[in-house]
Amino acid sequence: MNIVQFVVSMLLFFVLFFGISFLLNMILRSSWIMSFVYPAIVLLIVDDFSWTRYFSAPTDSFPMVFEQIANLKFVDIFILLSGFAGTIVAGVVIRFLRKSGYQMF
């Protein structure tokens, strides 16, 4: 992967999950909801099978997806971590805005 692609990918994941998290936090009035949901989203990004398999064959699917996570490359881990950082920063921003007196929905 090119260094430019790496930086742009990290920025895109950060902005994407910051935006989604900010909107969910604003609508649901819970500052950290997306930070708790993000690991499930990572599982869906990393796996290569249907999400229904987690319910139909959990003993096979969870070890397989954890093995795939363990085999991720350094670059992929940093891209996924930048998305997680976006969810955390959105929670901090929402808390700061509410503390400053901004009312959102």
Side-chain angles (χ1 to χ4, degrees), residues 26-100:
M26 194 169 55
I27 292 170
L28 299 177
R29 301 189 57 85
S30 173
S31 298
W32 305 108
I33 187 84
M34 192 63 182
S35 296
F36 293 117
V37 174
Y38 188 76
I41 294 171
V42 168
L43 291 178
L44 295 175
I45 290 172
V46 172
D47 69 0
D48 58 349
F49 46 84
S50 174
W51 64 273
T52 57
R53 188 167 173 191
Y54 288 110
F55 300 107
S56 63
T59 57
D60 296 333
S61 59
F62 280 108
M64 187 182 306
V65 77
F66 289 136
E67 180 182 330
Q68 290 174 347
I69 289 173
N71 292 333
L72 284 176
K73 295 182 180 168
F74 179 72
V75 176
D76 298 328
I77 292 171
F78 271 99
I79 292 171
L80 291 172
L81 285 176
S82 68
F84 186 62
T87 63
I88 291 173
V89 170
V92 170
V93 168
I94 284 285
R95 286 197 139 205
F96 175 74
L97 288 173
R98 286 191 181 130
K99 191 175 186 181
S100 297

